[in-house]
Amino acid sequence: MENNKQFLTGHEVVVQACIDADATHMFGYPITPGTEILSGWIKKCQDNKDLHFLQTEDEIAAGFTVCGALMAGSKSFTATAGPGTVLMQDAMGMADGMRLPFVTIIAQRGGPSSGTVIYSQQEVNLAIHGGNGEGLRIVYSPSTVEELYVLTRKTFNVAWEYRFPSVLLTDGYLLKTKQDVVLNFVGENVEPKPLVSEHTQKNIRNIYTFEQELMDELTNQKQDFDEMAKEVTEFESYKVESCDELIIAHGIVGAAARDAVDELKKQGKNVGLFRPITLSPFPKDELNKLCKQVKKIMIVESSMGQLKDLVKQNLDTQVEIDGLYKPAVGIETEEIIKLFK
Amino acid sequence: MNIKILLSGDGGQGIQLIANMICQAAFETDFHVTAIPNYGLEQRGGVSLNFIQISDKKQVYPKFTKPDILLIMSPQAKERVEEYQENGELKLEIGDYESILKENNVPKQSQNIFCLGLIAKILEEKEILKKENIFELLEKKLSTKPGWEENKKAFDLGNTL
């Protein structure tokens, strides 16, 4: 047995990643399937007096408390899910406007409304575009428990390095999965710093008097975002060399798709996988490069087509699009294999 | 090798407890373990499932459609796992052991431990783990709690069938 092998749930891995990222404050309101992130963090606070938490009266309060703590320079975060992700948009929208390094862990569950407490991939749009206006956010979608660790660490780093609100978009399946894992992250933590120092005056705004002022600000933000995208955009291309057909999937469905590709290759079928790891910024260039070589793409997701919409927005290549869209239910490897019979 | 085990029962029957025992014992071997619970909003009375994979290769996707071992501990659970039942898997249905459980006075609250004994035996035959591995964990967890003697007997009974 490897010495550093541990048997952990996704929730436990996320909490460990937040601690290892040097996060110090969590503000949240419990909601399934993300509750164990809050309760796990609270448990850690009992042993480590450098860690702090506040369970607020709702997600709106949690989100704005994160905004305040961030401005004071504390590495703060929240975790939420489903209807909680909707309430969180108010504070996330402020973070969009003020470019706060706001870290949210979203545990997707079924919707609309309370839906199910288990699983979905239906919060992609909310994670990327949930605020009013056109806020720019970095959104990671991990596919395995070990990747959950790495990407949680990265979410904090990119938030503080580039000062864009950053989301770790996961789901109830990945968080509840218990698995033998080896947690490993290469790189240093980005240091937090107060956005306003004690004896200086600085006006970080989320409201403008003139239309032109806001447009100028948003134009600058977009330029910074596009510049950042060159550094941050991530994807996985799996067995895509000279493939004829390409599966596109993200998050945990991406893990099922990877297994499906292995099986399909054994059956002599030339199918590869493209998995965006950052849903925002989206790996557009790589998608288009691959789409030039394939006859067909097959989008597989646990929603009615939120990934499909993202792909279509980014696609400037003519290619046949097919897909399997199963809102709020898991998609097993066997089902993906069947698509290529 | 990838052994897929689907445990199903009513909430409160102790499905998650026996799942944890199996997974923890398997984790302490050289095999990879992936497990995911599944239950709804109910605190009690709903169907409780756990999907377990014990494998020599890491299985990253936690769910599956074709279990090798399927445990069914209630009629409600049987209905819920209907789509997972097909010829070929080893099906362990509590109903099939009714007379044995009655003859040996196994109380209802120890039936999950009886099933754990059954599964421990199968996993030992498959050379995945030894029944002692599971029994030690069980002892650690339950030996100071009421009903330990009954649980111990239930485990042994399942394990010797």
Side-chain angles (χ1 to χ4, degrees):
Chain A
M1 190 159 76
E2 287 174 69
N3 285 338
N4 46 1
K5 195 171 97 162
Q6 302 179 76
F7 192 40
L8 299 174
T9 64
H11 288 114
E12 290 166 327
V13 164
V14 167
V15 171
Q16 192 56 51
C18 293
I19 291 169
D20 294 347
D22 293 333
T24 53
H25 292 70
M26 178 178 185
F27 305 105
Y29 185 80
I31 182 164
T32 310
T35 301
E36 290 92 333
I37 300 171
L38 179 60
S39 58
W41 177 267
I42 291 172
K43 215 169 161 191
K44 297 282 183 187
C45 291
Q46 315 304 312
D47 304 328
N48 183 345
K49 296 299 166 201
D50 294 330
L51 305 180
H52 309 276
F53 77 95
L54 182 68
Q55 182 185 322
T56 52
E57 67 268 35
D58 58 28
E59 289 83 352
I60 299 172
F64 283 110
T65 314
V66 172
C67 289
L70 293 169
M71 287 189 220
S74 85
K75 218 180 234 190
S76 317
F77 70 102
T78 190
T80 190
T85 314
V86 176
L87 294 180
M88 195 59 71
Q89 295 305 323
D90 199 1
M92 287 172 82
M94 182 193 251
D96 293 339
M98 299 168 90
R99 285 198 51 184
L100 303 180
F102 189 113
V103 169
T104 318
I105 295 150
I106 296 178
Q108 294 173 99
R109 57 186 264 172
S113 189
S114 298
T116 64
V117 297
I118 300 171
Y119 166 81
S120 85
Q121 292 191 314
Q122 296 174 299
E123 296 175 46
V124 171
N125 289 344
L126 266 181
I128 304 173
H129 300 299
N132 64 315
E134 295 161 299
L136 299 163
R137 300 172 183 171
I138 299 167
V139 178
Y140 283 106
S141 176
S143 71
T144 67
V145 179
E146 281 170 346
E147 205 176 51
L148 201 52
Y149 179 77
V150 174
L151 296 184
T152 304
R153 300 277 307 263
K154 280 190 184 176
T155 304
F156 281 97
N157 269 359
V158 295
W160 284 92
E161 176 79 34
Y162 300 102
R163 291 265 310 270
F164 283 106
S166 301
V167 175
L168 189 277
L169 181 68
T170 182
D171 62 74
Y173 278 179
L174 204 53
L175 288 168
K176 281 180 188 284
T177 296
K178 191 166 185 175
Q179 205 168 62
D180 55 291
V181 289
V182 177
L183 303 182
N184 194 17
F185 179 74
V186 181
E188 298 293 318
N189 288 334
V190 175
E191 290 291 316
K193 51 176 183 245
L195 308 186
V196 185
S197 5
E198 214 168 317
H199 302 293
T200 54
Q201 200 176 348
K202 192 173 173 187
N203 190 12
I204 306 177
R205 301 169 71 184
N206 70 337
I207 188 162
Y208 297 82
T209 312
F210 302 112
E211 297 93 316
Q212 186 64 37
E213 275 184 298
L214 176 60
M215 193 187 85
D216 291 346
E217 170 61 23
L218 295 177
T219 308
N220 286 338
Q221 288 193 11
K222 181 72 168 71
Q223 272 170 8
D224 289 351
F225 193 82
D226 291 343
E227 202 54 40
M228 171 278 299
K230 294 174 198 161
E231 306 292 325
V232 168
T233 306
E234 267 191 66
F235 62 94
E236 180 190 11
S237 293
Y238 187 66
K239 299 192 176 174
V240 293
E241 295 77 23
S242 67
C243 68
D244 304 319
E245 290 178 276
L246 187 68
I247 300 171
I248 304 179
H250 77 99
I252 197 167
V253 180
R258 200 184 304 112
D259 289 345
V261 166
D262 286 339
E263 188 52 40
L264 288 163
K265 291 273 180 200
K266 278 187 212 156
Q267 295 174 9
K269 292 180 176 126
N270 208 357
V271 179
L273 166 69
F274 178 70
R275 180 173 69 88
I277 295 173
T278 48
L279 294 176
S280 171
F282 196 86
K284 179 178 178 163
D285 294 345
E286 294 74 19
L287 170 77
N288 283 292
K289 211 166 109 188
L290 282 171
C291 285
K292 281 192 182 88
Q293 81 175 50
V294 300
K295 293 180 192 127
K296 186 170 147 185
I297 59 175
M298 183 70 80
I299 299 167
V300 184
E301 59 177 315
S302 299
S303 92
M304 283 192 205
Q306 298 190 25
L307 176 65
K308 179 181 75 182
D309 292 343
L310 263 184
V311 168
K312 280 186 166 176
Q313 276 164 27
N314 286 282
L315 200 62
D316 48 30
T317 309
Q318 284 289 335
V319 65
E320 186 187 339
I321 301 175
D322 203 345
L324 177 66
Y325 309 104
K326 297 185 74 173
V329 295
I331 300 174
E332 274 101 31
T333 305
E334 292 88 346
E335 280 182 89
I336 301 173
I337 294 168
K338 271 189 209 157
L339 295 172
F340 296 89
K341 285 247 159 90
Chain B
M1 187 281 294
N2 183 18
I3 304 284
K4 298 171 187 166
I5 307 167
L6 175 54
L7 308 178
S8 70
D10 289 348
Q13 275 189 315
I15 287 292
Q16 302 308 328
L17 182 128
I18 65 170
N20 287 342
M21 300 276 151
I22 296 166
C23 292
Q24 190 62 41
F27 170 70
E28 286 166 13
T29 68
D30 281 336
F31 291 105
H32 294 283
V33 185
T34 295
I36 184 167
N38 188 297
Y39 41 81
L41 292 163
E42 308 89 344
Q43 291 298 309
R44 267 175 197 277
V47 173
S48 175
L49 309 176
N50 201 303
F51 296 77
I52 302 168
Q53 296 178 78
I54 305 170
S55 172
D56 51 12
K57 187 177 152 251
K58 191 153 195 162
Q59 302 297 322
V60 291
Y61 191 75
K63 291 192 84 188
F64 48 79
T65 49
K66 292 176 188 164
D68 300 300
I69 302 169
L70 173 62
L71 173 70
I72 300 170
M73 278 194 63
S74 75
Q76 191 185 213
K78 187 173 183 175
E79 210 173 291
R80 174 78 168 76
V81 297
E82 200 178 351
E83 60 181 305
Y84 299 97
Q85 299 178 51
E86 58 168 48
N87 296 328
E89 86 273 18
L90 182 57
K91 202 192 291 180
L92 306 170
E93 264 194 80
I94 196 77
D96 296 341
Y97 298 94
E98 210 173 322
S99 56
I100 296 168
L101 292 168
K102 211 170 170 186
E103 271 166 35
N104 290 277
N105 299 318
V106 176
K108 225 175 164 68
Q109 58 269 31
S110 294
Q111 285 186 359
N112 63 328
I113 306 300
F114 166 78
C115 295
L116 182 64
L118 285 174
I119 293 167
K121 189 179 180 203
I122 297 163
L123 296 178
E124 183 156 6
E125 281 164 5
K126 289 182 184 290
E127 296 180 352
I128 290 169
L129 42 80
K130 296 203 181 318
K131 70 166 185 186
E132 290 79 17
N133 304 142
I134 290 186
F135 186 76
E136 276 168 25
L137 293 168
L138 193 64
E139 201 171 21
K140 219 165 139 186
K141 179 95 184 164
L142 298 181
S143 63
T144 56
K145 294 189 174 160
W148 170 238
E149 282 310 313
E150 287 83 357
N151 280 329
K152 207 166 119 183
K153 268 190 222 158
F155 183 82
D156 286 339
L157 179 66
N159 205 260
T160 44
L161 282 182

